[in-house]
Amino acid sequence: MTTTKQSLNEIARRMISGVVQIHVEGYLEEDIQSVLNPSIKIPGIWSGSGFFVKHKNLEGYIVTNSHVVRNAVKIEISSMLTSEERFETEVVGMVKQLEPDVALIKLTEEELARFKKMAIQPIEYLTLQKGANPPRGEVIKAIGYPLGMIEPNITGGEITNFISGSEFTTERFVTNAAINPGNSGGPSINKDGEVIGLNTAVIVDAENIGFITPASFIKIIIKNLLLLNEPQFAGLGGKLQKNSENFNPFLKQSRAKGVIVSKVLKKGFLEAAKIQPRDVILSINQVEFDRHGIVIGKEGLYRHKNIFDVMKLVPIGEEVEIGYLRDGKIQHAKAKAMPNPELGIISNPILSERRFLEVFGMVIQPLSFEIIQAIQEVDPYAQIEMLKILDEEKPMLVVTHIHQGTQADKMEWPLGELIIKANEEEVHTLDDLQKILDKNKGKNVLLECMSGLIGYFQVEVNTTKAKDNKD
């Protein structure tokens, strides 16, 4: 009699033909120099894994990790079905912020035809798991091309744990199956021959701890990417805090259940549902939460799935029912799921999308999370100041590089200054600043920073224009 383990091995060997190696040429995004001065581009080559995904009647579509193809200039794949032949692909879209770390690429029509012609058998399209997530202890196989190996690797393990999402992160499965660099983007499969998730990362210096992005997120991302270049997830559009028995008299609750709304953002889901600060959210689509925001119920006994995980998996535009407590009375409201409203300070990890202005001997960019992180490595005190303005509704301009011997250098302007005014006019974008510079060619401009620092600069007649950092 065939054991479950043997059966899973056989399934994994069959599914290898649906897994590909991804070869990338691009720019090393994590280099601090290129973040602070986008005119510096450091080329590199790397590899990862991916798999042909079954979705309706699409052909040639491949799921992988965003970090595998982010900032790529050229992407090719190779497969065991076609020896060591390489095929060009194009990016359909990706989650640029890597939460979750999922991208969708595809073979061009010409390359798909060439692939089919050369393949020793039809492409094996892998099916994403339907229904509930795997339980803790389920045996799985992870498939990929670790460390640049030219043949796919199969490692075995179990689902050992789960990590809940948050306002900024998404849920992940934890596994003891070996996931190494290059293995990222490959599938983790179960005994039913379904993909339970995407091999995503491993903790450095930790033994046998890897992460898997759930198939439920991959499904919603694929649907979204076929409509948009970048997926959007439903958000609450507000800030929450844990409930407590101490609040019982104040909130007129018999016991602490559900989470307290501490802030409602403009143009967000909570505002659309007419939820107010100090309301207590008890449920979303009949899924109830305890005072920590953790799901109550059968799954909640073994999982810490939370309110953010539940909300993110609701398709944008779908009607959501929210149960809440106000003045001691349980009420219900409905509103359509929507992304969180975008604030002024955003993430901008794609090198080619960064805009910057070189003027007065300094590089000025829109402030982003990546810049805050890079400046932290250079000047922790500047980074602390920046964290205070993360909830600003309007963008901010920041000085990210000073060239020696220039006007800014002679005035000893430091890195990380946030420019808020030019000639007493508020500036929030590079275009705002550019207009003032254009009006004052050959004259002087007074710049003022949030810290109170000022600078008086001579504007050259041939004023530099803001640059798009594209090839």
Side-chain angles (χ1 to χ4, degrees):
M1 182 176 177
T2 304
T3 65
T4 302
K5 184 175 181 180
Q6 290 172 329
S7 175
L8 182 54
N9 285 335
E10 292 170 357
I11 290 169
R13 284 194 291 270
R14 173 174 57 82
M15 295 177 76
I16 276 179
S17 61
V19 181
V20 300
Q21 186 167 27
I22 301 175
H23 312 271
V24 184
E25 294 179 26
Y27 297 111
L28 302 178
E29 62 185 69
E30 65 275 1
D31 191 279
I32 190 172
Q33 294 181 73
S34 67
V35 175
L36 298 180
N37 187 358
S39 61
I40 299 174
K41 293 183 177 181
I42 301 175
I45 57 173
W46 60 90
S47 66
S49 304
F51 63 91
F52 286 105
V53 65
K54 187 173 184 179
H55 183 78
K56 298 183 178 178
N57 53 358
L58 294 180
E59 287 190 291
Y61 281 72
I62 297 163
V63 171
T64 184
N65 284 142
S66 286
H67 79 259
V68 173
V69 297
R70 199 168 70 170
N71 289 312
V73 174
K74 182 179 181 181
I75 306 169
E76 296 178 314
I77 65 150
S78 58
S79 163
M80 292 295 287
L81 298 179
T82 56
S83 186
E84 294 184 11
E85 197 73 24
R86 293 191 180 188
F87 302 84
E88 286 191 27
T89 65
E90 56 190 19
V91 175
V92 177
M94 70 181 81
V95 183
K96 296 174 183 177
Q97 288 75 32
L98 310 184
E99 286 295 341
D101 192 352
V102 180
L104 188 64
I105 63 176
K106 69 173 182 177
L107 289 167
T108 62
E109 286 188 24
E110 296 80 6
E111 292 291 76
L112 177 58
R114 189 166 73 91
F115 189 102
K116 287 180 175 181
K117 186 176 181 180
M118 297 186 66
I120 58 176
Q121 67 184 52
I123 295 173
E124 181 80 27
Y125 286 94
L126 307 191
T127 302
L128 297 171
Q129 184 185 30
K130 303 175 185 68
N133 289 330
R136 186 182 278 104
E138 179 164 319
V139 178
I140 64 160
K141 294 287 184 181
I143 308 174
Y145 289 80
L147 308 173
M149 294 179 181
I150 61 172
E151 291 192 16
N153 196 55
I154 299 175
T155 56
E158 299 176 348
I159 298 297
T160 59
N161 208 343
F162 305 91
I163 296 180
S164 298
S166 69
E167 183 180 359
F168 305 106
T169 62
T170 48
E171 181 185 21
R172 284 182 173 84
F173 305 151
V174 182
T175 181
N176 56 5
I179 296 176
N180 296 296
N183 218 17
S184 294
S188 283
I189 64 170
N190 62 15
K191 59 181 175 57
D192 297 319
E194 294 179 328
V195 176
I196 64 155
L198 189 66
N199 305 335
T200 298
V202 64
I203 295 181
V204 178
D205 297 329
E207 293 187 11
N208 300 324
I209 298 179
F211 295 123
I212 298 170
T213 298
S216 53
F217 278 109
I218 301 172
K219 286 179 185 177
I220 201 168
I221 287 168
I222 290 174
K223 291 177 183 176
N224 215 317
L225 286 178
L226 294 176
L227 299 174
L228 305 167
N229 178 253
E230 186 172 3
Q232 295 177 314
F233 296 98
L236 288 164
K239 302 290 184 182
L240 308 176
Q241 71 176 81
K242 292 184 178 183
N243 204 340
S244 167
E245 298 293 336
N246 291 10
F247 285 116
N248 287 356
F250 177 71
L251 297 174
K252 300 178 182 177
Q253 58 186 15
S254 57
R255 64 187 182 95
K257 181 180 174 184
V259 286
I260 303 169
V261 176
S262 57
K263 184 177 182 179
V264 175
L265 299 178
K266 294 178 181 178
K267 299 180 180 179
F269 169 75
L270 291 180
E271 184 185 71
K274 296 182 170 53
I275 301 299
Q276 301 173 6
R278 301 180 183 177
D279 285 346
V280 180
I281 298 177
L282 303 173
S283 65
I284 289 177
N285 287 345
Q286 287 79 52
V287 177
E288 297 184 338
F289 309 104
D290 67 13
R291 75 178 188 89
H292 302 280
I294 304 301
V295 172
I296 298 173
K298 183 177 180 181
E299 191 173 28
L301 292 172
Y302 308 101
R303 298 278 307 280
H304 274 206
K305 192 167 187 174
N306 63 31
I307 188 170
F308 299 107
D309 298 325
V310 171
M311 195 67 192
K312 283 188 176 81
L313 288 173
V314 179
I316 299 293
E318 186 174 290
E319 193 168 66
V320 178
E321 182 181 347
I322 183 168
Y324 62 99
L325 184 75
R326 180 184 295 171
D327 291 329
K329 296 178 181 179
I330 295 176
Q331 302 184 45
H332 293 85
K334 291 182 179 180
K336 289 185 177 179
M338 63 182 75
N340 280 327
E342 193 170 275
L343 297 175
I345 314 305
I346 61 172
S347 177
N348 190 15
I350 308 299
L351 212 60
S352 62
E353 294 180 359
R354 292 180 189 154
R355 295 186 71 221
F356 62 101
L357 180 64
E358 285 191 272
V359 65
F360 312 135
M362 54 188 169
V363 175
I364 301 171
Q365 299 185 68
L367 183 61
S368 67
F369 293 123
E370 289 73 25
I371 290 173
I372 292 175
Q373 188 174 9
I375 287 178
Q376 181 183 26
E377 298 184 35
V378 178
D379 183 357
Y381 296 104
Q383 192 258 4
I384 290 171
E385 288 300 311
M386 289 179 184
L387 289 177
K388 296 177 182 178
I389 50 89
L390 284 181
D391 285 338
E392 287 284 326
E393 292 184 8
K394 294 183 178 180
M396 300 286 292
L397 295 179
V398 60
V399 177
T400 59
H401 184 76
I402 305 290
H403 295 289
Q404 292 185 350
T406 61
Q407 292 187 62
D409 183 40
K410 289 176 183 177
M411 290 189 194
E412 299 186 14
W413 265 44
L415 183 73
E417 285 294 330
L418 297 166
I419 299 172
I420 59 172
K421 288 184 180 180
N423 281 357
E424 306 300 337
E425 292 184 42
E426 280 193 17
V427 289
H428 291 280
T429 67
L430 293 178
D431 291 337
D432 292 343
L433 181 55
Q434 186 76 64
K435 287 176 183 177
I436 294 173
L437 296 178
D438 289 343
K439 287 191 296 185
N440 291 277
K441 290 180 180 179
K443 302 177 184 178
N444 286 75
V445 166
L446 177 70
L447 297 185
E448 182 181 341
C449 299
M450 181 173 280
S451 66
L453 183 77
I454 59 172
Y456 197 56
F457 299 98
Q458 174 74 36
V459 183
E460 296 178 4
V461 175
N462 297 321
T463 308
T464 303
K465 299 291 184 182
K467 300 175 183 177
D468 291 308
N469 197 25
K470 295 180 180 179
D471 297 326

Short mmCIF file of all heavy atoms in Angstrom, two decimals, residues 236-240 259-284 307 311 320-326 329-335:
data_model
loop_
_atom_site.label_atom_id
_atom_site.label_comp_id
_atom_site.label_asym_id
_atom_site.label_seq_id
_atom_site.Cartn_x
_atom_site.Cartn_y
_atom_site.Cartn_z
N LEU A 236 -9.15 48.88 6.62
CA LEU A 236 -10.17 49.40 7.52
C LEU A 236 -10.30 50.91 7.41
O LEU A 236 -11.36 51.48 7.66
CB LEU A 236 -9.84 49.01 8.96
CG LEU A 236 -10.06 47.52 9.29
CD1 LEU A 236 -9.36 47.16 10.58
CD2 LEU A 236 -11.54 47.21 9.38
N GLY A 237 -9.22 51.58 7.04
CA GLY A 237 -9.29 53.03 6.95
C GLY A 237 -9.39 53.69 8.30
O GLY A 237 -10.16 54.64 8.49
N GLY A 238 -8.60 53.20 9.24
CA GLY A 238 -8.61 53.78 10.59
C GLY A 238 -7.61 53.11 11.48
O GLY A 238 -6.93 52.16 11.09
N LYS A 239 -7.50 53.61 12.70
CA LYS A 239 -6.60 53.05 13.70
C LYS A 239 -7.42 52.36 14.78
O LYS A 239 -8.52 52.82 15.14
CB LYS A 239 -5.74 54.14 14.33
CG LYS A 239 -4.90 54.93 13.33
CD LYS A 239 -3.78 54.10 12.75
CE LYS A 239 -2.92 54.94 11.83
NZ LYS A 239 -1.84 54.15 11.20
N LEU A 240 -6.87 51.26 15.31
CA LEU A 240 -7.56 50.47 16.32
C LEU A 240 -6.71 50.36 17.58
O LEU A 240 -5.49 50.51 17.53
CB LEU A 240 -7.86 49.06 15.80
CG LEU A 240 -8.59 48.94 14.45
CD1 LEU A 240 -8.69 47.48 14.07
CD2 LEU A 240 -9.97 49.59 14.53
N VAL A 259 -12.61 45.32 19.19
CA VAL A 259 -11.52 46.31 19.29
C VAL A 259 -12.08 47.73 19.15
O VAL A 259 -13.07 47.97 18.46
CB VAL A 259 -10.43 46.07 18.23
CG1 VAL A 259 -9.59 44.86 18.58
CG2 VAL A 259 -11.03 45.89 16.84
N ILE A 260 -11.41 48.65 19.82
CA ILE A 260 -11.87 50.05 19.85
C ILE A 260 -11.31 50.82 18.66
O ILE A 260 -10.12 50.69 18.32
CB ILE A 260 -11.42 50.73 21.16
CG1 ILE A 260 -11.95 49.94 22.37
CG2 ILE A 260 -11.89 52.18 21.20
CD1 ILE A 260 -11.34 50.40 23.69
N VAL A 261 -12.16 51.60 18.03
CA VAL A 261 -11.71 52.48 16.94
C VAL A 261 -11.14 53.75 17.57
O VAL A 261 -11.85 54.48 18.28
CB VAL A 261 -12.88 52.84 16.00
CG1 VAL A 261 -12.41 53.83 14.93
CG2 VAL A 261 -13.46 51.59 15.37
N SER A 262 -9.85 54.01 17.36
CA SER A 262 -9.22 55.20 17.94
C SER A 262 -9.15 56.35 16.95
O SER A 262 -9.06 57.51 17.35
CB SER A 262 -7.82 54.87 18.45
OG SER A 262 -7.01 54.34 17.41
N LYS A 263 -9.20 56.03 15.64
CA LYS A 263 -9.13 57.10 14.64
C LYS A 263 -9.80 56.62 13.36
O LYS A 263 -9.63 55.46 12.96
CB LYS A 263 -7.67 57.48 14.35
CG LYS A 263 -7.49 58.65 13.38
CD LYS A 263 -6.02 59.01 13.22
CE LYS A 263 -5.85 60.20 12.29
NZ LYS A 263 -4.41 60.57 12.13
N VAL A 264 -10.56 57.50 12.72
CA VAL A 264 -11.20 57.21 11.44
C VAL A 264 -10.56 58.10 10.37
O VAL A 264 -10.55 59.32 10.50
CB VAL A 264 -12.72 57.45 11.49
CG1 VAL A 264 -13.34 57.26 10.11
CG2 VAL A 264 -13.37 56.52 12.51
N LEU A 265 -10.00 57.48 9.33
CA LEU A 265 -9.35 58.24 8.27
C LEU A 265 -10.38 58.73 7.25
O LEU A 265 -11.36 58.04 6.96
CB LEU A 265 -8.30 57.37 7.56
CG LEU A 265 -7.14 56.86 8.42
CD1 LEU A 265 -6.21 55.99 7.58
CD2 LEU A 265 -6.37 58.01 9.04
N LYS A 266 -10.13 59.90 6.71
CA LYS A 266 -11.02 60.45 5.68
C LYS A 266 -10.98 59.57 4.43
O LYS A 266 -9.92 59.08 4.04
CB LYS A 266 -10.60 61.88 5.33
CG LYS A 266 -10.78 62.87 6.47
CD LYS A 266 -10.30 64.25 6.05
CE LYS A 266 -10.45 65.25 7.20
NZ LYS A 266 -9.94 66.60 6.83
N LYS A 267 -12.14 59.38 3.83
CA LYS A 267 -12.29 58.64 2.58
C LYS A 267 -11.89 57.17 2.72
O LYS A 267 -11.46 56.53 1.76
CB LYS A 267 -11.47 59.29 1.45
CG LYS A 267 -11.92 60.71 1.15
CD LYS A 267 -11.08 61.33 0.03
CE LYS A 267 -11.53 62.75 -0.25
NZ LYS A 267 -10.71 63.39 -1.32
N GLY A 268 -12.04 56.62 3.92
CA GLY A 268 -11.74 55.21 4.14
C GLY A 268 -12.99 54.40 4.42
O GLY A 268 -14.11 54.92 4.48
N PHE A 269 -12.81 53.09 4.62
CA PHE A 269 -13.93 52.18 4.82
C PHE A 269 -14.75 52.53 6.06
O PHE A 269 -15.99 52.55 6.02
CB PHE A 269 -13.41 50.74 4.92
CG PHE A 269 -14.46 49.75 5.37
CD1 PHE A 269 -15.45 49.33 4.51
CD2 PHE A 269 -14.46 49.27 6.68
CE1 PHE A 269 -16.44 48.43 4.93
CE2 PHE A 269 -15.42 48.38 7.11
CZ PHE A 269 -16.41 47.95 6.23
N LEU A 270 -14.09 52.78 7.19
CA LEU A 270 -14.83 53.07 8.42
C LEU A 270 -15.68 54.32 8.28
O LEU A 270 -16.81 54.38 8.76
CB LEU A 270 -13.86 53.20 9.61
CG LEU A 270 -13.16 51.92 10.06
CD1 LEU A 270 -12.25 52.20 11.24
CD2 LEU A 270 -14.16 50.82 10.41
N GLU A 271 -15.14 55.33 7.61
CA GLU A 271 -15.93 56.55 7.39
C GLU A 271 -17.14 56.26 6.52
O GLU A 271 -18.24 56.74 6.79
CB GLU A 271 -15.06 57.63 6.74
CG GLU A 271 -15.80 58.96 6.57
CD GLU A 271 -14.99 60.00 5.82
OE1 GLU A 271 -14.78 59.84 4.60
OE2 GLU A 271 -14.58 60.99 6.46
N ALA A 272 -16.93 55.43 5.47
CA ALA A 272 -18.04 55.07 4.58
C ALA A 272 -19.13 54.31 5.33
O ALA A 272 -20.32 54.42 5.01
CB ALA A 272 -17.53 54.24 3.40
N ALA A 273 -18.73 53.52 6.34
CA ALA A 273 -19.69 52.76 7.13
C ALA A 273 -20.26 53.58 8.29
O ALA A 273 -21.02 53.06 9.11
CB ALA A 273 -19.04 51.50 7.67
N LYS A 274 -19.86 54.88 8.36
CA LYS A 274 -20.32 55.81 9.41
C LYS A 274 -19.90 55.36 10.81
O LYS A 274 -20.62 55.58 11.80
CB LYS A 274 -21.83 56.02 9.32
CG LYS A 274 -22.27 56.70 8.02
CD LYS A 274 -23.76 56.95 7.99
CE LYS A 274 -24.16 57.84 6.82
NZ LYS A 274 -23.67 57.38 5.50
N ILE A 275 -18.74 54.70 10.88
CA ILE A 275 -18.17 54.32 12.17
C ILE A 275 -17.47 55.54 12.77
O ILE A 275 -16.85 56.33 12.05
CB ILE A 275 -17.17 53.15 12.01
CG1 ILE A 275 -17.87 51.94 11.40
CG2 ILE A 275 -16.54 52.80 13.34
CD1 ILE A 275 -19.01 51.39 12.23
N GLN A 276 -17.55 55.68 14.10
CA GLN A 276 -16.96 56.83 14.77
C GLN A 276 -15.87 56.38 15.74
O GLN A 276 -15.87 55.22 16.20
CB GLN A 276 -18.04 57.59 15.55
CG GLN A 276 -19.19 58.09 14.70
CD GLN A 276 -20.31 58.68 15.54
OE1 GLN A 276 -20.19 58.81 16.77
NE2 GLN A 276 -21.41 59.03 14.90
N PRO A 277 -14.92 57.27 16.08
CA PRO A 277 -13.95 56.96 17.13
C PRO A 277 -14.69 56.57 18.41
O PRO A 277 -15.73 57.14 18.74
CB PRO A 277 -13.17 58.25 17.30
CG PRO A 277 -13.27 58.93 15.97
CD PRO A 277 -14.65 58.60 15.47
N ARG A 278 -14.17 55.56 19.09
CA ARG A 278 -14.69 55.00 20.34
C ARG A 278 -15.82 54.00 20.11
O ARG A 278 -16.33 53.43 21.08
CB ARG A 278 -15.13 56.09 21.33
CG ARG A 278 -13.99 57.03 21.70
CD ARG A 278 -14.42 58.11 22.67
NE ARG A 278 -13.31 59.03 22.94
CZ ARG A 278 -13.39 60.11 23.70
NH1 ARG A 278 -14.55 60.39 24.29
NH2 ARG A 278 -12.36 60.89 23.87
N ASP A 279 -16.22 53.78 18.85
CA ASP A 279 -17.06 52.62 18.57
C ASP A 279 -16.20 51.37 18.76
O ASP A 279 -14.96 51.42 18.64
CB ASP A 279 -17.57 52.65 17.12
CG ASP A 279 -18.69 53.67 16.91
OD1 ASP A 279 -19.25 54.15 17.92
OD2 ASP A 279 -19.00 53.98 15.74
N VAL A 280 -16.84 50.25 19.05
CA VAL A 280 -16.12 48.98 19.23
C VAL A 280 -16.52 48.03 18.10
O VAL A 280 -17.70 47.67 17.97
CB VAL A 280 -16.46 48.34 20.59
CG1 VAL A 280 -15.69 47.02 20.76
CG2 VAL A 280 -16.13 49.30 21.74
N ILE A 281 -15.55 47.63 17.28
CA ILE A 281 -15.84 46.71 16.19
C ILE A 281 -15.92 45.29 16.75
O ILE A 281 -14.95 44.77 17.31
CB ILE A 281 -14.76 46.78 15.08
CG1 ILE A 281 -14.73 48.19 14.48
CG2 ILE A 281 -15.04 45.75 13.99
CD1 ILE A 281 -13.65 48.37 13.43
N LEU A 282 -17.10 44.68 16.58
CA LEU A 282 -17.33 43.32 17.10
C LEU A 282 -17.15 42.25 16.03
O LEU A 282 -16.71 41.14 16.32
CB LEU A 282 -18.75 43.23 17.68
CG LEU A 282 -19.10 44.23 18.79
CD1 LEU A 282 -20.58 44.12 19.13
CD2 LEU A 282 -18.23 43.98 20.02
N SER A 283 -17.50 42.58 14.77
CA SER A 283 -17.44 41.56 13.72
C SER A 283 -17.35 42.20 12.34
O SER A 283 -17.73 43.36 12.14
CB SER A 283 -18.70 40.67 13.77
OG SER A 283 -19.86 41.45 13.46
N ILE A 284 -16.82 41.43 11.40
CA ILE A 284 -16.82 41.78 9.98
C ILE A 284 -17.33 40.58 9.22
O ILE A 284 -16.77 39.47 9.33
CB ILE A 284 -15.40 42.17 9.50
CG1 ILE A 284 -15.01 43.53 10.09
CG2 ILE A 284 -15.34 42.23 7.97
CD1 ILE A 284 -13.62 43.99 9.74
N ILE A 307 -8.24 40.71 12.65
CA ILE A 307 -9.17 41.55 11.90
C ILE A 307 -8.56 42.05 10.59
O ILE A 307 -9.25 42.20 9.59
CB ILE A 307 -9.64 42.73 12.79
CG1 ILE A 307 -10.76 43.52 12.11
CG2 ILE A 307 -8.48 43.63 13.20
CD1 ILE A 307 -11.42 44.54 13.04
N MET A 311 -10.04 41.35 6.76
CA MET A 311 -10.40 42.46 5.87
C MET A 311 -9.64 42.40 4.55
O MET A 311 -10.20 42.68 3.48
CB MET A 311 -10.13 43.79 6.59
CG MET A 311 -10.80 44.99 5.93
SD MET A 311 -12.60 44.90 6.06
CE MET A 311 -13.07 46.20 4.92
N VAL A 320 -19.47 44.90 2.59
CA VAL A 320 -19.02 44.33 3.86
C VAL A 320 -19.97 44.75 4.96
O VAL A 320 -20.35 45.92 5.06
CB VAL A 320 -17.59 44.82 4.20
CG1 VAL A 320 -17.14 44.25 5.54
CG2 VAL A 320 -16.62 44.44 3.10
N GLU A 321 -20.35 43.79 5.79
CA GLU A 321 -21.19 44.11 6.95
C GLU A 321 -20.31 44.18 8.19
O GLU A 321 -19.51 43.28 8.46
CB GLU A 321 -22.27 43.04 7.16
CG GLU A 321 -23.18 43.36 8.33
CD GLU A 321 -24.26 42.31 8.56
OE1 GLU A 321 -24.45 41.47 7.67
OE2 GLU A 321 -24.89 42.33 9.63
N ILE A 322 -20.44 45.26 8.92
CA ILE A 322 -19.64 45.44 10.12
C ILE A 322 -20.56 45.57 11.33
O ILE A 322 -21.55 46.32 11.31
CB ILE A 322 -18.72 46.68 9.99
CG1 ILE A 322 -17.83 46.84 11.23
CG2 ILE A 322 -19.50 47.95 9.71
CD1 ILE A 322 -16.71 47.85 11.03
N GLY A 323 -20.28 44.77 12.37
CA GLY A 323 -21.04 44.84 13.61
C GLY A 323 -20.24 45.63 14.63
O GLY A 323 -19.04 45.41 14.78
N TYR A 324 -20.90 46.55 15.35
CA TYR A 324 -20.15 47.40 16.28
C TYR A 324 -21.03 47.78 17.47
O TYR A 324 -22.26 47.67 17.44
CB TYR A 324 -19.63 48.65 15.58
CG TYR A 324 -20.70 49.56 15.02
CD1 TYR A 324 -21.11 50.70 15.71
CD2 TYR A 324 -21.28 49.30 13.78
CE1 TYR A 324 -22.09 51.54 15.19
CE2 TYR A 324 -22.27 50.13 13.25
CZ TYR A 324 -22.67 51.25 13.96
OH TYR A 324 -23.64 52.08 13.44
N LEU A 325 -20.36 48.22 18.52
CA LEU A 325 -21.02 48.63 19.75
C LEU A 325 -20.90 50.15 19.90
O LEU A 325 -19.79 50.69 19.78
CB LEU A 325 -20.38 47.94 20.96
CG LEU A 325 -21.02 48.20 22.32
CD1 LEU A 325 -22.33 47.42 22.45
CD2 LEU A 325 -20.07 47.80 23.44
N ARG A 326 -22.02 50.84 20.12
CA ARG A 326 -22.01 52.28 20.36
C ARG A 326 -23.02 52.60 21.44
O ARG A 326 -24.19 52.19 21.35
CB ARG A 326 -22.35 53.05 19.08
CG ARG A 326 -22.35 54.58 19.27
CD ARG A 326 -22.78 55.30 18.01
NE ARG A 326 -21.83 55.09 16.93
CZ ARG A 326 -22.07 55.47 15.66
NH1 ARG A 326 -23.23 56.04 15.35
NH2 ARG A 326 -21.16 55.25 14.73
N LYS A 329 -25.10 49.73 22.71
CA LYS A 329 -26.01 49.03 21.82
C LYS A 329 -25.27 48.45 20.62
O LYS A 329 -24.42 49.11 20.03
CB LYS A 329 -27.10 49.99 21.31
CG LYS A 329 -28.00 50.53 22.41
CD LYS A 329 -29.02 51.50 21.84
CE LYS A 329 -29.92 52.06 22.95
NZ LYS A 329 -30.90 53.04 22.41
N ILE A 330 -25.60 47.21 20.28
CA ILE A 330 -25.00 46.56 19.12
C ILE A 330 -25.71 47.04 17.86
O ILE A 330 -26.95 47.00 17.77
CB ILE A 330 -25.10 45.02 19.23
CG1 ILE A 330 -24.28 44.51 20.43
CG2 ILE A 330 -24.61 44.36 17.94
CD1 ILE A 330 -24.38 43.03 20.67
N GLN A 331 -24.93 47.51 16.90
CA GLN A 331 -25.49 48.01 15.65
C GLN A 331 -24.75 47.38 14.47
O GLN A 331 -23.68 46.80 14.63
CB GLN A 331 -25.37 49.55 15.59
CG GLN A 331 -26.07 50.25 16.74
CD GLN A 331 -26.03 51.76 16.61
OE1 GLN A 331 -26.28 52.30 15.53
NE2 GLN A 331 -25.73 52.45 17.70
N HIS A 332 -25.35 47.51 13.29
CA HIS A 332 -24.73 46.96 12.08
C HIS A 332 -24.77 48.00 10.97
O HIS A 332 -25.69 48.82 10.89
CB HIS A 332 -25.46 45.69 11.62
CG HIS A 332 -25.32 44.54 12.57
ND1 HIS A 332 -26.16 44.38 13.67
CD2 HIS A 332 -24.42 43.51 12.61
CE1 HIS A 332 -25.79 43.29 14.33
NE2 HIS A 332 -24.74 42.75 13.71
N ALA A 333 -23.74 47.98 10.14
CA ALA A 333 -23.67 48.91 9.01
C ALA A 333 -23.03 48.18 7.84
O ALA A 333 -22.37 47.14 8.01
CB ALA A 333 -22.87 50.15 9.38
N LYS A 334 -23.21 48.74 6.65
CA LYS A 334 -22.61 48.14 5.45
C LYS A 334 -21.90 49.22 4.64
O LYS A 334 -22.32 50.37 4.58
CB LYS A 334 -23.68 47.47 4.58
CG LYS A 334 -24.29 46.22 5.20
CD LYS A 334 -25.30 45.56 4.27
CE LYS A 334 -25.87 44.29 4.89
NZ LYS A 334 -26.86 43.64 4.00
N ALA A 335 -20.81 48.81 4.01
CA ALA A 335 -20.06 49.69 3.11
C ALA A 335 -19.23 48.82 2.19
O ALA A 335 -18.96 47.65 2.51
CB ALA A 335 -19.17 50.66 3.89
#
